[in-house]
Amino acid sequence: MEVYYELNKQTDMSLCLGFFDGVHLGHQVVIKNAVNYARQNGGKSALITFIEHPLCLLHGFEIGYISTLEEKLSLIEGLGIDFVYVLEFNRELADKTAYNYLKEVLIDNFKPKSITTGFNHFFGMHRQGNTKFLYEHQDEFGYKYFEIPPITYKDTVISSSVIKEFLSKGDIYTANKLLGHRFAFESVVQSGQKIGRTISFPTINLEYPMSMVKIPYGVYSVEVEVESKRYKALANWGLKPTVNNTLNPTFEAHLLDFSKNIYGEAVRVEVIEFLRNEIKFLSVKELQKQIAKDIASINQ
């Protein structure tokens, strides 16, 4: 997969369009449709997305993302796309009419054989462009348009906003079901206060990405990938009220069957399940007992 951060000429593309935050099950159908059409017709597929969500520019929103850009690109690559265009959503793009965006950005650069979007895709100034608009201009510009209908899980329409709601409530299980993969992030192991080793549970200290949707403070079952190996781990995300007096939250993980020093190394964390709220115990001994119980629950 080739990644570009500005437009260039790639003709006869099978395009798919969207922000694709989280690359959830609905997004995967959109992307796979573009990939399959390209392969069936002897062509190449391309995906167009943005560095920041358009709402950041249009309305000044701060977006808590489901995935970092790096994670999003990794997930997209796994679906077989040939080219990805990660563009800056700027005022020039925002002020284009739907017709001009279609003509000047999509048609002039890609001469697409097909365009695939989700059912709720909008583009152009004042959201003038939509699925109906793309249908109506097929003959004029010579592409075939595919609109992917809503994808559901247990009667819930899958969307990035719905997944964020589950994550923000700590319902990691349901969020992962809607994603079709585990909620995950990468971070570099930092030097901490080394309190964990004094209570027999050494941890790695990570910075939770500021750009991502915030999950509740608490204790989680996770898997940590270190140097291409995966380890079950117990993680605490929060303020560590029993042993710490700080307002700065930290993400700590105790890896099972692991004892290496990996300060400064990048690791990948997959969040599996929310286990319990963060609690201030009356003593460190009580904390130790609870951690042992938590580890037993994830090591079954």
Side-chain angles (χ1 to χ4, degrees), residues 144-202:
K144 183 175 179 61
Y145 175 60
F146 297 95
E147 175 188 354
I148 303 302
I151 307 300
T152 61
Y153 172 77
K154 293 186 176 180
D155 298 325
T156 297
V157 175
I158 298 173
S159 70
S160 297
S161 59
V162 168
I163 292 169
K164 287 180 187 180
E165 289 179 14
F166 284 115
L167 289 171
S168 64
K169 294 186 297 186
D171 189 348
I172 308 300
Y173 176 84
T174 302
N176 287 347
K177 286 293 184 182
L178 301 182
L179 284 168
H181 54 82
R182 290 173 178 168
F183 175 64
F185 64 90
E186 286 193 7
S187 189
V188 174
V189 178
Q190 301 176 337
S191 179
Q193 296 175 304
K194 301 180 175 61
I195 295 173
R197 66 181 61 183
T198 68
I199 60 173
S200 304
F201 298 106

Side-chain angles (χ1 to χ4, degrees), residues 11-29:
T11 60
D12 299 325
M13 289 290 104
S14 174
L15 294 181
C16 57
L17 313 176
F19 189 69
F20 301 108
D21 185 21
V23 194
H24 58 59
L25 288 174
H27 294 150
Q28 292 170 36
V29 177

Side-chain angles (χ1 to χ4, degrees), residues 49-67:
T49 189
F50 299 104
I51 297 171
E52 297 286 351
H53 197 284
L55 289 176
C56 295
L57 174 69
L58 296 175
H59 301 294
F61 290 175
E62 289 190 12
I63 304 294
Y65 297 115
I66 300 169
S67 55

Side-chain angles (χ1 to χ4, degrees), residues 201 234 286-298:
F201 298 106
L234 183 74
E286 285 189 22
L287 172 62
Q288 288 176 298
K289 288 181 180 178
Q290 183 59 55
I291 292 174
K293 291 179 182 177
D294 295 333
I295 290 173
S297 73
I298 69 170

Side-chain angles (χ1 to χ4, degrees), residues 203-218:
T203 62
I204 59 171
N205 292 268
L206 305 170
E207 184 175 335
Y208 188 89
M210 293 295 294
S211 64
M212 292 182 67
V213 62
K214 296 300 183 287
I215 57 177
Y217 290 165

